[in-house]
């Protein structure tokens, strides 16, 4: 049984930082590309970042480029998202997802990822 569990969300002031983690079990983590997504109330889900199976290839949405950094530790089956310079508009539920494709294609934000977590809430106060 595959489990994808996000953690690290919380309440932070604008300009602050948070690091999200996503721990995966039940699959060969190192074979999967991983992505971070978010969804705010009343808005569509937004793809934030993608990282290839080995970590050598990454991609970011323009909205977070330069502020967020994706990384992974395959030995720990864990994905990370370091979020700096947070803004109130970053408030959302944050999700991680696994893609059996293994690398970040051009269409990574819109691909059908194989496994999803339940999300972790990030709230940024002004």
């Amino acid at each position: 049984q595959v489990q994808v569990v996000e953690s690290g969300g919380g309440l932070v002031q604008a300009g602050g930082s948070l690091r999200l983690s996503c721990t995966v079990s039940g699959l060969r983590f190192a074979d999967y590309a991983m992505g971070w997504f978010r969804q705010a109330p009343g808005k569509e889900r937004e793809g934030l970042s993608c990282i290839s199976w080995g970590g050598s290839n990454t991609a970011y949405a323009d909205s977070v480029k330069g502020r967020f950094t994706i990384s992974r530790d395959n030995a720990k089956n864990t994905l990370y998202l370091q979020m700096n310079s947070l803004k109130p508009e970053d408030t959302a539920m944050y999700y991680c997802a696994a893609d059996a494709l293994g690398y970040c294609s051009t269409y990574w934000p819109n691909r059908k990822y194989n496994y999803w977590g339940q999300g972790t809430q990030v709230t940024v106060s002004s």
Side-chain angles (χ1 to χ4, degrees):
Q1 180 182 359
V2 177
Q3 288 192 314
V4 180
V5 181
E6 302 93 340
S7 62
L11 174 64
V12 64
Q13 288 188 329
S17 298
L18 281 175
R19 188 175 83 153
L20 305 184
S21 298
C22 170
T23 301
V24 180
S25 61
L27 55 73
R28 187 175 168 83
F29 181 72
D31 285 347
Y32 286 72
M34 297 295 298
W36 282 103
F37 298 79
R38 69 185 178 191
Q39 189 166 20
K43 295 189 176 181
E44 292 188 356
R45 187 176 65 200
E46 177 187 13
L48 303 178
S49 186
C50 175
I51 187 167
S52 61
W53 64 273
S56 61
N57 173 242
T58 58
Y60 294 92
D62 288 343
S63 60
V64 303
K65 197 173 295 182
R67 299 190 299 124
F68 291 10
T69 303
I70 193 171
S71 62
R72 65 190 296 162
D73 184 339
N74 286 347
K76 296 182 178 180
N77 285 7
T78 301
L79 174 73
Y80 303 100
L81 185 68
Q82 178 67 44
M83 305 187 295
N84 299 329
S85 303
L86 284 162
K87 306 173 182 180
E89 51 264 44
D90 293 318
T91 295
M93 186 71 79
Y94 283 68
Y95 301 89
C96 67
D99 186 353
L101 183 66
Y103 65 91
C104 302
S105 76
T106 302
Y107 307 102
W108 67 267
N110 300 313
R111 278 187 52 80
K112 185 178 180 181
Y113 284 65
N114 300 89
Y115 302 101
W116 290 82
Q118 293 299 306
T120 186
Q121 177 68 38
V122 172
T123 302
V124 184
S125 63
S126 57

